[in-house]
């Protein structure tokens, strides 16, 4: 089972080609509105069982964008043949402890044992990024999950508030997640030793 966490924007976004200099394996080469769909176009295979969890923050265009994300992915999947189902997690645009905890609890309820996880952290409120990281850590620890890709789509807007296609990039930020995991399990007697050990790790 592949589980996909798709953050949904609160404003309308136009299709652009997301380029990736660091990881050509995730570069689709065709216009998409949603970076996660570019990744899935390159990673989904026929008969894959896929659960797309759309994380929707309530706004003027949020529901419309949720529909557009599904339509775009369904169109891509016509030539792939994966079995995709969709789940929506909705929350208000209020970053209270109650809302943050609600998002976390709803996200981890979508997990399944032994799943592969693909995550897009492009859109949504800033508190959603650590919530996603905590959810992935929970998934690895308790659901034997395999975190495959975490992506971020860089979008530069012009004066008409449209994404500039030439400046759009797709970044695989999965190493950032594992850096967080590393610092969580690393031990050292003091800060100086910890810094030295971290430097040695990056030199490997």
């Amino acid at each position: 089972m592949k589980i996909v966490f798709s953050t949904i924007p609160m404003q309308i976004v136009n299709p652009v080609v997301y380029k990736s200099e660091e990881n050509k394996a995730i570069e689709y080469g065709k216009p998409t509105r949603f970076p996660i769909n570019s990744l899935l176009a390159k990673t989904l295979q026929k008969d894959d069982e896929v659960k797309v969890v759309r994380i929707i923050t309530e706004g003027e265009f949020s529901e419309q964008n949720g529909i557009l994300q599904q339509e775009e992915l369904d169109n891509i999947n016509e030539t792939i043949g994966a079995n995709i189902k969709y789940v929506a997690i909705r929350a208000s645009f209020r970053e209270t402890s109650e809302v943050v905890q609600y998002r976390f609890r709803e996200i981890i309820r979508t997990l399944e044992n032994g799943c592969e996880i693909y995550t897009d952290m492009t859109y949504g409120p800033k508190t959603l990024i650590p919530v996603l990281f905590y959810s992935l850590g929970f998934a690895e620890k308790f659901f034997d999950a395999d975190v495959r890709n975490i992506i971020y789509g860089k979008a530069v807007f012009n004066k008409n508030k449209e994404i500039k296609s030439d400046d759009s990039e797709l970044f695989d930020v999965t190493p950032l997640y594992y850096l967080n995991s590393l610092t969580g399990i690393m031990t050292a007697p003091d800060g100086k030793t910890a810094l030295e050990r971290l430097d040695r790790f990056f030199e490997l």
Side-chain angles (χ1 to χ4, degrees):
M1 166 66 74
K2 289 179 167 66
I3 295 181
V4 178
F5 294 122
S6 174
T7 53
I8 302 299
M10 290 182 284
Q11 61 184 3
I12 294 297
V13 291
N14 54 299
V16 296
V17 177
Y18 284 96
K19 300 178 290 293
S20 178
E21 292 185 9
E22 291 184 319
N23 188 355
K24 292 298 181 182
I26 65 172
E27 187 177 273
Y28 181 36
K30 297 180 182 179
T32 58
R33 293 179 187 272
F34 306 92
I36 190 65
N37 289 347
S38 295
L39 171 67
L40 295 175
K42 296 299 295 291
T43 55
L44 292 185
Q45 298 178 8
K46 182 177 174 59
D47 297 327
D48 277 348
E49 296 295 328
V50 185
K51 181 194 299 184
V52 177
V53 181
R54 292 170 296 167
I55 304 172
I56 301 172
T57 304
E58 293 174 354
E60 183 178 357
F61 302 107
S62 300
E63 291 300 324
Q64 180 180 347
N65 284 330
I67 294 170
L68 289 172
Q69 190 273 332
Q70 179 173 340
E71 289 178 347
E72 183 175 82
L73 182 55
D74 284 345
N75 288 334
I76 291 171
N77 188 48
E78 285 181 359
T79 58
I80 299 173
N83 301 314
I84 303 177
K85 65 179 180 180
Y86 295 87
V87 176
I89 296 175
R90 295 176 173 82
S92 60
F93 190 21
R94 297 179 65 248
E95 301 314 292
T96 62
S97 297
E98 181 180 2
V99 171
V100 171
Q101 291 173 18
Y102 170 80
R103 283 198 190 100
F104 174 69
R105 294 175 68 185
E106 290 300 301
I107 288 171
I108 61 176
R109 283 194 177 100
T110 67
L111 298 171
E112 299 193 28
N113 286 321
C115 60
E116 298 176 5
I117 298 180
Y118 301 82
T119 303
D120 182 357
M121 61 167 56
T122 302
Y123 302 116
K126 289 181 172 60
T127 57
L128 185 52
I129 293 176
V131 167
L132 285 168
F133 271 36
Y134 300 149
S135 300
L136 297 180
F138 190 93
E140 279 195 313
K141 186 174 183 179
F142 298 109
F143 284 82
D144 192 29
D146 181 4
V147 177
R148 290 295 182 92
N149 291 102
I150 306 170
I151 61 165
Y152 169 74
K154 171 191 169 186
V156 178
F157 292 84
N158 61 25
K159 62 181 179 180
N160 297 320
K161 296 185 178 181
E162 296 176 334
I163 299 177
K164 297 167 64 177
S165 186
D166 291 344
D167 295 320
S168 301
E169 295 183 72
L170 190 61
F171 298 100
D172 186 343
V173 296
T174 315
L176 181 62
Y177 167 73
Y178 285 110
L179 177 60
N180 179 65
S181 300
L182 171 66
T183 58
I185 64 173
M186 189 174 68
T187 59
D190 52 56
K192 183 175 182 295
T193 306
L195 288 171
E196 291 171 350
R197 292 179 179 176
L198 196 60
D199 284 339
R200 288 197 295 270
F201 171 80
F202 284 121
E203 290 168 359
L204 295 176

